[in-house]
Amino acid sequence: MIDPRLRDEAVRLYDDFTHEHHDRRTLLKRMTALAGSVAAAEALIAGIAASPAAAAIVAADDPRLKIDAKAGLPLPHGKTLRGYIARPKGAAAKATVFVIHENRGLTPHIQDVARRVALAGFFAVAPDLLSDQGGTPADEDKAREMIGKADLAAVTQEVVDSVRHFGGTPHRTKVGIIGFCWGGAMVDRVAVSAGDAVDAGVAYYGPAPDPSEAAKVGAPLLLHYAGKDARVAQTGEPWVAALKAAGKSVEAFTYPGVDHAFNNDTSQERYDKAAADLAWGRTIAFLHRHLDG
């Protein structure tokens, strides 16, 4: 069993790599110094990193769903975003929910999350926000590099435009948005930029905007934070306070003793089933409350 202090420091080193320096050699050097050998370091990294081979919670061929794995999401001026769409089979979805990926792009895990959203009765749309750079690559390190080069203002506008398109589609008049990590931050950005085009937003451990932007938010927000995630907490706390001061509808929950990305079941060391299940139950209830009807 991994010593909890060693594990926490390993997660911190990995987060520095994924969110700050992006240098795998530096990561391995620091992790080796921590773990005592290259083999032990690589084992730690493998346990923390998301595994593309991890089993999905909802199978890609689940017979209850209709899937479009190569969807084109319309944007103004004839542009499209690549994306993944899941919808319940045999029943009309009550509303559209966008699922915004982490900083590794539109991975099989995020597609799985979209299927979970669809099984809850929604028309789930997971855009590939690396479309402008050719789409999400198989190499997640490369995907993170591409995310770092993305024009955030332009990408935010693409999401806003897509949200407005689906919000105007007959029989799907309400739109929600849910995002994780980088995607959680995107949820807040879209809530600031989209006005009343978004009917509900859910952000999982996303670094928050400047508190001065809170007055622009038009949608009710549900914000999930991890108790051990100091990097995000230092932005989230003033953001929540500013939203409340501005009279916005916001619910915020911090899950004690869990790491950033605690919802990602493909990461052996990060995933916390109890916290993930509690947050997911709150998320689906929140989306139904604001999007049904």
Side-chain angles (χ1 to χ4, degrees), residues 7-8 225-229 254-259 262 270 272 275:
R7 177 198 168 281
D8 287 350
Y225 296 107
K228 292 183 178 180
D229 193 1
T254 297
Y255 300 81
V258 303
D259 293 298
F262 67 82
R270 291 181 186 276
D272 187 287

Side-chain angles (χ1 to χ4, degrees), residues 24-238:
R24 187 164 283 275
R25 286 184 296 181
T26 297
L27 170 66
L28 185 58
K29 180 180 178 180
R30 292 176 179 174
M31 203 72 83
T32 299
L34 176 68
S37 71
V38 171
E42 289 177 339
L44 274 175
I45 292 170
I48 297 167
S51 170
I57 288 180
V58 180
D61 60 354
D62 190 298
R64 296 169 292 177
L65 299 175
K66 183 175 180 180
I67 304 294
D68 184 352
K70 296 182 178 180
L73 311 180
L75 295 173
H77 312 300
K79 286 186 64 178
T80 59
L81 283 175
R82 300 181 185 186
Y84 181 94
I85 289 176
R87 70 189 81 184
K89 190 181 289 184
K94 295 179 179 179
T96 299
V97 175
F98 279 74
V99 181
I100 309 299
H101 56 68
E102 302 159 313
N103 65 349
R104 294 177 297 113
L106 182 53
T107 60
H109 168 64
I110 293 299
Q111 293 174 355
D112 185 17
V113 173
R115 294 192 294 271
R116 299 174 210 175
V117 169
L119 282 183
F122 299 106
F123 184 91
V125 179
D128 185 345
L129 298 181
L130 291 174
S131 294
D132 292 342
Q133 298 182 61
T136 296
D139 182 341
E140 68 175 49
D141 288 349
K142 177 63 175 175
R144 279 189 286 263
E145 290 177 12
M146 292 165 68
I147 286 283
K149 295 175 182 176
D151 182 333
L152 278 180
V155 172
T156 301
Q157 189 59 50
E158 287 178 342
V159 179
V160 171
D161 289 340
S162 195
V163 161
R164 286 178 174 151
H165 169 81
F166 279 90
T169 302
H171 311 301
R172 289 193 293 273
T173 56
K174 289 191 176 182
V175 179
I177 182 170
I178 175 175
F180 304 85
C181 185
W182 183 88
M186 182 58 67
V187 168
D188 285 325
R189 291 189 187 98
V190 171
V192 167
S193 300
D196 60 4
V198 174
D199 298 287
V202 182
Y204 279 72
Y205 32 79
D210 188 284
S212 63
E213 302 277 29
K216 301 176 185 176
V217 170
L221 295 178
L222 171 61
L223 308 175
H224 299 297
Y225 296 107
K228 292 183 178 180
D229 193 1
R231 178 182 65 88
V232 171
Q234 67 183 356
T235 68
E237 290 170 5

